[in-house]
Amino acid sequence: MLKRLRLMGPVLFRLVLLCCTSLAIAGLVSPFWGIIVLIAGLFLEILMDLNYIVLLAQWLEDPEAQSPSVSSGLWSEIFYRVSRSRKALQTNTRRLQDREARYRKTLAALPEGIVVVKSDWAVSWCNETAERIFGIHGEDDFGRHLFAFVDNAGVLAYLKAGRFDEAYTWRLSPEKAFELRVVTVDRKNAIVVARDISEQERLDAMRRDFVANVSHELRTPLTVLMGFLDMALHGLTDDNNKKVELQTSHLSLMREQAGRMQRLINDLLTLSRLETGSSDKKPEVFSLSALVSTITEEIRVMAINTHQVTSAVAPDIWITGHPDEIRSAIVNLMTNAVRYTPAGGQIHAHLAVRDDGMIVISVVDNGIGIAPKDIPRLTERFYRVDKSRSRDTGGTGLGLAIVKHALLHHNARLKIESTLGKGSTFTITLPAVIRVKDEEDQQQHAG
Ligand code: ADP
């Protein structure tokens, strides 16, 4: 109440003063002039208020304008309060805008395509990924109907059906697919999320293929083993109804099949160790020259009666890495060279340092060679060009996959060059070269 009186004080004072003055003039001069002064005073008061109202209206129209300086008590209070709530509103708006910008930035950075739509499917915002997926041209297309950007009947049916508890798989090609989800935010807004699931589908297919391949590889030797075991247990009869006894040749076949399964399991374990990088061994400095020489010698002895194995190994090449893995890669290349080169053929291993410092290990054969179309797929697990030759020579189809992963660990690359019927060259390029001798020399110089 007091506050109200304080605010009204100046106006009341002016009105009382005006009344007293009018009364005095009415008494002293004439009632007519008293009324005129009263009307003129009231008119001035109204004019002053009108001026302030117009000032307020103008000020409110321009959000950037400063608060005008007002001397009148009541009006200065009104301007002060409006200015205060206006500032608070501006701060809140700025805060909300900042928050919205932050949310948009977060949504924009998501790898998923995000489209915010109104209840009538009008696009109100989308991130860059969604622009690419749906072909929306940024803000120019905001407000347009989402269905205008979808030319897939399945997707349209999914969006129109409105049953969004399940996702929809939008397949663009055998290799490209998106998972669509619609999340309802409130009665007026929803978010359409498009996630690229191509890579996930590729990995799932690879996993399925892998399991199918392993099962297939194990089934053949197991069937053979089961056959012989049945023979031993129940005794089988041949075409002439004569009982077939288990013979040493059968036992050696069983041994062979068991060996095939063992090789497969060993290769699978090696591959899994390489793929998961579970080797907890620390990299070590070892002589690549000694390793290549030893492997070549082993292969020469192994193929002494069938192939001519030669080598040219540069001395004192040392590298940092996992000798077991590099050994496994070179052994696989050398045994492959023997297996895919007919008897009488030549295998040559070569180790050298190139002018640019790269180390090069090549395994060259003059064997059956590989057709150009097969070369890019050779390092895939279980990919074989000549299936029967691979199996007959004890292959698991995992050798080159092991080579690939062993090399990946060493930042090394495998290059395959081949001519069908003439032979192949498998070249490993390793980056760093450490010459222990050079280092020793340097240390001696420094000393
Ligand atoms: P495998 O156990 O079948 O040899 P790899 O992964 O070692 O499996 O090799 C994959 C395929 O690449 C082989 O099946 C074979 O067809 C082909 N291959 C590998 N090395 C050679 C080579 N030196 N000459 C010709 N073909 C080769």
Side-chain angles (χ1 to χ4, degrees):
M1 183 68 186
L2 256 176
K3 198 172 177 196
R4 213 181 292 165
L5 271 176
R6 194 169 55 82
L7 286 173
M8 287 166 64
V11 182
L12 284 177
F13 175 73
R14 277 200 305 275
L15 287 177
V16 169
L17 195 68
L18 180 66
C19 287
C20 295
T21 315
S22 308
L23 279 174
I25 290 175
L28 290 174
V29 186
S30 78
F32 171 76
W33 282 110
I35 289 169
I36 292 289
V37 168
L38 184 67
I39 290 171
L42 286 174
F43 183 73
L44 266 179
E45 189 65 39
I46 290 169
L47 211 65
M48 205 172 72
D49 285 344
L50 205 64
N51 174 45
Y52 283 130
I53 289 168
V54 171
L55 207 62
L56 182 66
Q58 279 174 341
W59 177 53
L60 287 179
E61 217 167 86
D62 181 3
E64 299 300 320
Q66 289 287 319
S67 164
S69 60
V70 176
S71 49
S72 160
L74 182 58
W75 279 105
S76 84
E77 183 68 20
I78 289 171
F79 274 94
Y80 166 71
R81 287 190 187 187
V82 172
S83 165
R84 205 174 54 183
S85 40
R86 206 172 166 183
K87 271 190 194 134
L89 191 71
Q90 276 171 348
T91 316
N92 275 344
T93 313
R94 220 171 296 127
R95 206 175 291 152
L96 280 174
Q97 279 169 344
D98 284 354
R99 201 174 292 170
E100 193 189 341
R102 245 193 340 264
Y103 284 142
R104 291 208 168 169
K105 218 168 146 189
T106 313
L107 288 177
L110 284 178
E112 286 87 9
I114 308 279
V115 187
V116 183
V117 287
K118 298 263 175 230
S119 52
D120 60 355
W121 294 104
V123 175
S124 50
W125 183 83
C126 74
N127 66 359
E128 270 180 35
T129 318
E131 284 181 15
R132 277 196 301 275
I133 297 173
F134 293 96
I136 300 172
H137 295 106
E139 287 184 21
D140 292 349
D141 281 339
F142 290 177
R144 285 186 65 192
H145 209 275
L146 179 66
F147 294 179
F149 302 99
V150 181
D151 58 359
N152 179 292
V155 176
L156 284 176
Y158 168 73
L159 295 178
K160 283 178 186 166
R163 282 190 297 275
F164 300 129
D165 16 327
E166 276 183 24
Y168 177 79
T169 304
W170 177 13
R171 192 165 297 289
L172 278 91
S173 72
E175 292 86 33
K176 195 90 189 147
F178 289 100
E179 184 193 75
L180 283 190
R181 271 184 189 284
V182 179
V183 184
T184 314
V185 181
D186 50 41
R187 282 166 52 131
K188 287 188 181 159
N189 296 289
I191 299 175
V192 181
V193 184
R195 190 165 67 91
D196 192 339
I197 51 167
S198 320
E199 184 60 14
Q200 188 191 320
E201 288 205 333
R202 198 182 64 82
L203 289 176
D204 285 349
M206 258 176 70
R207 216 168 290 139
R208 275 197 305 274
D209 284 355
F210 182 67
V211 173
N213 275 322
V214 173
S215 318
H216 178 76
E217 293 292 329
L218 286 171
R219 199 166 46 213
T220 319
L222 261 178
T223 313
V224 177
L225 279 175
M226 292 285 278
F228 286 126
L229 286 173
D230 279 348
M231 193 193 277
L233 275 174
H234 311 299
L236 292 182
T237 52
D238 65 10
D239 294 347
N240 302 323
N241 251 354
K242 265 179 65 186
K243 201 158 187 258
V244 182
E245 293 295 331
L246 200 66
Q247 292 164 8
T248 321
S249 63
H250 295 143
L251 284 176
S252 74
L253 271 173
M254 286 170 77
R255 174 76 182 74
E256 199 181 290
Q257 296 304 323
R260 195 170 144 188
M261 289 199 292
Q262 193 181 33
R263 273 196 304 280
L264 179 67
I265 287 162
N266 284 344
D267 275 1
L268 282 172
L269 286 174
T270 309
L271 198 58
S272 127
R273 253 199 314 272
L274 285 169
E275 277 185 338
T276 53
S278 59
S279 160
D280 33 65
K281 282 191 203 156
K282 277 203 175 132
E284 50 185 277
V285 178
F286 64 95
S287 164
L288 193 59
S289 307
L291 185 69
V292 175
S293 299
T294 313
I295 296 172
T296 319
E297 201 43 45
E298 286 167 9
I299 301 292
R300 189 178 292 135
V301 172
M302 186 191 90
I304 191 109
N305 295 319
T306 52
H307 297 80
Q308 194 190 341
V309 181
T310 56
S311 63
V313 178
D316 294 325
I317 299 182
W318 293 71
I319 61 164
T320 308
H322 301 280
D324 296 352
E325 294 179 8
I326 295 293
R327 182 187 169 79
S328 171
I330 302 171
V331 166
N332 267 306
L333 294 185
M334 295 283 289
T335 47
N336 274 357
V338 173
R339 288 166 50 226
Y340 298 104
T341 301
Q346 290 172 353
I347 319 289
H348 181 72
H350 180 83
L351 169 66
V353 181
R354 271 194 338 217
D355 290 345
D356 59 3
M358 302 290 267
I359 303 167
V360 181
I361 310 166
S362 314
V363 177
V364 188
D365 67 57
N366 60 352
I368 61 171
I370 309 153
K373 71 168 175 47
D374 293 310
I375 292 180
R377 300 196 57 191
L378 290 186
T379 53
E380 284 176 22
R381 292 178 291 189
F382 296 112
Y383 187 82
R384 291 164 164 129
V385 181
D386 184 344
K387 289 195 178 58
S388 58
R389 190 178 186 119
S390 162
R391 292 208 176 94
D392 293 348
T393 52
T396 58
L398 296 172
L400 290 180
I402 290 176
V403 174
K404 179 177 120 181
H405 281 96
L407 296 187
L408 271 178
H409 277 188
H410 292 82
N411 270 334
R413 288 181 48 207
L414 176 70
K415 188 168 151 205
I416 307 171
E417 292 157 298
S418 189
T419 311
L420 211 52
K422 290 208 167 148
S424 316
T425 302
F426 287 74
T427 310
I428 297 174
T429 318
L430 277 149
V433 50
I434 304 168
R435 289 164 192 270
V436 168
K437 274 211 160 157
D438 286 0
E439 281 185 354
E440 279 171 3
D441 288 349
Q442 279 170 15
Q443 274 169 11
Q444 272 167 14
H445 283 302

